[in-house]
Amino acid sequence: MTLLPSLRAHGACWLTAAVLAAPAVSALASSQTPVLGYSPANMDKRVSPRQDFTGYAAGNWLRHTEIPASEAEVGGFTQLAANLDRQLLTLIKNAANATGAPGSPQQQIGDYWRAAMDLQRMDQLGLKPLQADLDLIDTLPLPAAALGQLSARLELGYGVSPLLNAFPTIDAKDSKSYLLLLVAGQQSLSQEEYAKPENQSVRELYLGHISAMLKAAGESDPEAKARTVLAIETEISAAQLTPIQARDPGMTYNKMTLAEAQALIPAIDLGAKLRALGLQPPALVQVRDLAAIKAVQQVLSSRQAHELRSLLRWHVLTGRASSLGRPWRDLAQEFDRKRQGLQTLPERERQITQAINSQLFHPLSKLYVEAYFPASTRSEITQMVAHIKDEFEQRLRTNPWLDAPTRSAALEKLSKVDIQVGYPQQWIDFSGLQIRPDDHFGNTQRADEFSLRRQLARLGQPVINERFADPPYTTPTSVNAAYDPQTNSIDITAAIVQPPFYRPGADAAVNYCTIGAVIGHELTHGFDSNGRRYGPAGNLRDWWTPQASAEFEKRTALLVQQFGEFILLPGLKHNGVLTLTENTADLGGITLAHAALHRHLGGKAQPHVDGLSTDQRCFVAWAQMWAYKARPERIRQLAAIDYHANSSLRGFAPLLHLDAFHKAFGTRPGDPMWRAPKERARIW
């Protein structure tokens, strides 16, 4: 599985710590692994909370937990995902053992499973499922019209084209309209992995992988072709926006006529591509990354035809390697294993569970909600949402640094945030998707094409705020919650409303400072460095006065400084700029949750539980939620591209800005956990 940015993400903000990476297969933790979710047994009270709050709050869990051999990391998200895997696997096997009506969730899920588990058939087929595409690449002339048609075919058949991709996005300055977004082809490695000297070993591993795959496919001189592929991908990657730049809508909102876009990349006939996608070419488009488009044009105009064919054949081969037989499937998995530093490969059942969860996301989610998400949970979380939203409103009204115009606009925006819990009011109809019990390769292609064509059909139509429909981030079976600034809405998935984030009937101090903090985190995203640039209707516009903006930036600068000082690994510093939006949301989340907790309790004195006060349990629950271990390879990958701080930092760093935390644990100057009042970021 390659580490690819989500092409279809258009500014949404997620809670989970790996949103820009292809999701690692979740760990099915062993019975010996301590389970997260607030528990005094996970604490180590021999450690002073003033010296090492993570060690105090989660020391026993950290000491007794090992990263599973087939995983890159372990923590609250992966342990919850492990439980989710077991639940989903039960539903999938039940579907496979039932006889569902054609087009029903049971039929589609059951037949997908049967086809995916028939490894013998896949081995017998070899390269036959993609041979037609390989042959086409070998014989196709490469003028602009042909490249446009081929690019469309690859996007439909493989989910992404290595040349150019097109799909709808909401117009950032007109949230009632769709724009066609043009995005340059994506690469298998991250920008830093292509460029930095310290990632030479990754590049060598990747080069060897390309060569082995091409050799297995019968390519002549696979080593030379592998070097060509790596060189072309490196050239395009070097021109692309950095992860920080890619978060800036001012750099990605490049609206222009189709003719102007065509002038950027004359080697690909945009009209031919769009017609091949079934679209009438629109008058206006948005180009996400101008330099990247120009880099693709440079490659197409300067490289020889045989070099371009090597790139295209490699893309076809690697794009569906996991759906092929041996040796290609094994080679792809072995590359992933080595790249992530894993000891063993995940079991096939786990891989296919996640594939179904990604491709048949609403059919499987519907079964999951019916089986595992009671109405009482949805009702309780909905009430908590209202409490935390009310708390945010009161804080906005009394915020000491907001001026009147900005305060008024902020209150208007907050009032229009639409928060939904669990699952959508309207499920997506997948019944038209053909899933066969004997065609795993075809099933994966048809599922991706079904998804893309659904999106393309939106162009020219009124904007529909389709909820819980962005795998693997916002579907009901995603362990996540998300805020979308262009719709000013929040989805809190059914799957995340489980320990360690929530337990029905548990201590309010625990539930508020876990799932309540998740809710507050997403609300804060509407007012972080990116979210604050969008108005109440989701349009990109500046509704802040210069004075309020200056105050905001002064306060967030404290977070940039704080997180920029952390060392993740020897020689690897944390990037406080890259993670600013998520660090702001973490601080806002725990701040809002803690305040809402006390409003919920009505100011009444609460007894100690487990020897801890209400505030102490709140902050310990927060820290335990973020307890985390990861392999060095995973830490380096995420440090380069992830907008979230490393989870081991998220468990304590935001707390250092809360007066209540310092009071609860009696920190004082000189303590490692002390942060002077003037250095505490007070934002929302």
Side-chain angles (χ1 to χ4, degrees), residues 384-604:
M384 187 181 292
V385 164
H387 294 163
I388 292 173
K389 192 174 180 181
D390 286 346
E391 176 61 34
F392 201 172
E393 179 184 352
Q394 293 305 312
R395 296 179 75 84
L396 285 177
R397 292 188 184 280
T398 59
N399 188 300
W401 58 268
L402 280 178
D403 52 33
T406 309
R407 186 191 317 278
S408 176
L411 287 167
E412 180 190 6
K413 179 172 184 176
L414 179 65
S415 71
K416 294 182 178 179
V417 177
D418 180 28
I419 307 174
Q420 295 187 20
V421 177
Y423 55 90
Q425 298 174 3
Q426 182 69 42
W427 295 99
I428 296 171
D429 181 8
F430 274 70
S431 61
L433 170 60
Q434 182 190 30
I435 299 293
R436 291 170 41 186
D438 60 351
D439 185 15
H440 179 51
F441 187 94
N443 289 340
T444 60
Q445 285 204 319
R446 286 187 293 271
D448 277 354
E449 181 173 350
F450 174 82
S451 177
L452 178 56
R453 289 199 184 280
R454 279 191 65 257
Q455 294 182 60
L456 293 174
R458 298 173 184 172
L459 284 170
Q461 303 297 317
V463 169
I464 299 174
N465 185 8
E466 199 169 59
R467 307 299 291 269
F468 298 94
D470 186 13
Y473 308 119
T474 69
T475 63
T477 48
S478 301
V479 181
N480 204 13
Y483 171 77
D484 188 333
Q486 292 186 266
T487 57
N488 198 24
S489 61
I490 294 172
D491 291 343
I492 300 167
T493 71
I496 201 172
V497 188
Q498 300 182 59
F501 301 97
Y502 168 78
R503 193 184 302 277
D507 178 9
V510 172
N511 275 346
Y512 265 85
C513 295
T514 49
I515 193 64
V518 168
I519 297 165
H521 173 107
E522 300 306 336
L523 272 173
T524 304
H525 268 314
F527 304 86
D528 67 20
S529 300
N530 282 343
R532 77 183 190 91
R533 301 174 70 173
Y534 294 82
N539 291 321
L540 185 62
R541 67 178 180 85
D542 188 0
W543 48 271
W544 291 63
T545 65
Q547 295 82 359
S549 289
E551 280 290 336
F552 177 85
E553 290 168 3
K554 180 176 71 175
R555 292 161 192 273
T556 56
L558 292 173
L559 294 180
V560 173
Q561 178 185 6
Q562 177 193 21
F563 282 86
E565 293 171 350
F566 291 122
I567 304 296
L568 296 176
L569 293 170
L572 179 64
K573 293 192 72 173
H574 193 274
N575 191 329
V577 176
L578 178 65
T579 58
L580 175 58
T581 57
E582 295 298 333
N583 295 334
T584 303
D586 278 348
L587 175 57
I590 187 59
T591 299
L592 288 169
H594 175 260
L597 166 66
H598 282 278
R599 290 185 69 209
H600 169 75
L601 296 174
K604 299 177 182 177

Side-chain angles (χ1 to χ4, degrees), residues 601-608 614:
L601 296 174
K604 299 177 182 177
Q606 300 294 311
H608 280 50
T614 298

Side-chain angles (χ1 to χ4, degrees), residues 63-394:
R63 185 163 51 253
H64 294 108
T65 299
E66 297 296 332
I67 303 172
S70 62
E71 302 306 321
E73 58 196 346
V74 63
F77 282 96
T78 64
Q79 289 195 333
L80 174 47
N83 182 56
L84 176 68
D85 279 352
R86 287 187 284 268
Q87 294 170 328
L88 295 180
L89 185 58
T90 297
L91 296 173
I92 291 168
K93 287 187 173 180
N94 288 343
N97 292 327
T99 302
S104 67
Q106 289 80 3
Q107 177 267 314
Q108 292 176 322
I109 292 166
D111 283 351
Y112 191 112
W113 173 264
R114 278 187 281 271
M117 296 302 292
D118 190 352
L119 299 180
Q120 183 178 2
R121 177 175 174 78
M122 279 183 262
D123 291 345
Q124 291 171 346
L125 288 173
L127 287 180
K128 288 181 182 178
L130 48 72
Q131 193 62 54
D133 288 323
L134 293 175
D135 292 344
L136 176 64
I137 291 168
D138 275 345
T139 59
L140 185 74
L142 299 178
L147 279 177
Q149 293 166 351
L150 178 62
S151 179
R153 177 169 176 155
L154 295 178
E155 190 172 358
L156 288 167
Y158 297 86
V160 60
S161 163
L163 304 177
L164 186 68
N165 299 275
F167 45 85
T169 187
I170 297 174
D171 189 332
K173 294 187 178 180
D174 179 10
S175 61
K176 295 183 179 180
S177 301
Y178 288 113
L179 267 178
L180 185 69
L181 183 66
L182 300 179
V183 180
Q186 302 293 290
Q187 290 73 54
S188 295
L189 304 183
S190 71
Q191 201 171 42
E192 289 196 355
E193 286 174 318
Y194 281 109
K196 288 202 169 182
E198 56 264 35
N199 289 316
Q200 179 64 28
S201 61
V202 177
R203 291 192 291 275
E204 291 175 355
L205 176 66
Y206 182 51
L207 188 66
H209 170 58
I210 299 172
S211 179
M213 290 278 281
L214 294 177
K215 182 178 181 180
E219 295 276 352
S220 61
D221 203 358
E223 293 85 2
K225 290 177 179 177
R227 289 192 294 272
T228 295
V229 169
L230 180 58
I232 292 174
E233 290 184 351
T234 301
E235 182 179 345
I236 295 173
S237 174
Q240 291 173 340
L241 295 173
T242 67
I244 293 175
Q245 291 171 332
R247 289 279 272 185
D248 183 353
M251 300 195 73
T252 59
Y253 187 75
N254 303 298
K255 190 174 180 179
M256 62 186 68
T257 66
L258 184 63
E260 290 171 327
Q262 181 67 83
L264 296 173
I265 188 163
I268 296 179
D269 186 326
L270 297 183
K273 175 180 173 68
L274 298 179
R275 284 188 290 272
L277 290 173
L279 297 176
Q280 190 65 31
L284 297 172
V285 297
Q286 176 185 341
V287 175
R288 182 176 182 268
D289 187 337
L290 295 171
I293 293 285
K294 294 176 183 177
V296 173
Q297 169 61 28
Q298 175 63 25
V299 164
L300 293 175
S301 61
S302 64
R303 292 281 180 170
Q304 298 181 38
H306 71 86
E307 294 177 308
L308 299 178
R309 288 195 174 96
S310 293
L311 174 71
L312 294 168
R313 286 175 64 85
W314 163 245
H315 176 82
V316 165
L317 191 59
T318 191
R320 293 283 178 213
S322 62
S323 301
L324 293 173
R326 292 187 177 96
W328 302 279
R329 182 179 66 247
D330 288 351
L331 287 170
Q333 291 184 340
E334 185 65 7
F335 169 68
D336 283 346
R337 185 191 71 78
K338 290 180 178 178
R339 185 184 179 199
Q340 297 183 63
L342 308 182
Q343 298 172 24
T344 63
L345 291 168
E347 296 116 349
R348 180 71 178 174
E349 285 191 344
R350 290 160 54 194
Q351 296 176 45
I352 301 310
T353 294
Q354 290 223 334
I356 294 174
N357 195 16
S358 175
Q359 292 202 300
L360 301 178
F361 52 91
H362 267 197
L364 184 57
S365 290
K366 190 173 182 181
L367 298 183
Y368 174 80
V369 165
E370 291 171 354
Y372 295 109
F373 191 61
S376 58
T377 294
R378 194 184 200 195
S379 176
E380 185 170 338
I381 299 301
T382 300
Q383 292 177 16
M384 187 181 292
V385 164
H387 294 163
I388 292 173
K389 192 174 180 181
D390 286 346
E391 176 61 34
F392 201 172
E393 179 184 352
Q394 293 305 312

Side-chain angles (χ1 to χ4, degrees), residues 619-641:
F619 300 132
V620 167
W622 165 270
Q624 288 188 357
M625 181 173 72
W626 293 112
Y628 177 76
K629 283 185 172 183
R631 302 186 191 281
E633 294 88 346
R634 181 63 168 167
I635 293 173
R636 290 188 184 279
Q637 283 181 347
L638 295 180
I641 64 169

